[in-house]
Amino acid sequence: MAEPYWSAKHGGYIKCPVEDCNHIGIIITTAHCRLAHNMTREEVRKKYGLPISVSKLNRKQIESLKGKVNQRGDH
């Protein structure tokens, strides 16, 4: 069975890959995918790709991420 969440590497954070979603944390759960996007985690992965790794950010840096398109070009 797959893990019920995506997790960041030690000391880092991940950003939800869904466009215009500002969820950043050490994990992104299947519950987040379901509640925030009405999708399964697999549906999110297929449509938007995997979460984006980010370093520890201050509020100004987090604000600059809002609304940016996934730079990896997964979608």
Side-chain angles (χ1 to χ4, degrees):
M1 183 175 140
E3 293 291 325
Y5 54 85
W6 286 311
S7 61
K9 293 182 180 181
H10 180 71
Y13 292 90
I14 53 177
K15 181 183 181 306
C16 179
V18 176
E19 292 177 17
D20 299 324
C21 180
N22 299 315
H23 181 71
I24 296 174
I26 58 173
I27 63 170
I28 297 175
T29 63
T30 54
H32 167 77
C33 296
R34 186 176 59 252
L35 295 172
H37 309 300
N38 198 29
M39 301 171 81
T40 67
R41 186 176 62 160
E42 185 63 18
E43 289 170 328
V44 168
R45 187 192 63 76
K46 285 180 181 177
K47 187 170 182 177
Y48 299 102
L50 294 170
I52 302 162
S53 293
V54 294
S55 61
K56 293 182 179 180
L57 304 173
N58 63 37
R59 185 176 305 278
K60 185 176 181 180
Q61 291 169 318
I62 291 170
E63 289 296 320
S64 74
L65 285 175
K66 291 183 179 178
K68 284 197 174 178
V69 175
N70 183 339
Q71 297 298 314
R72 297 179 309 198
D74 290 338
H75 59 277

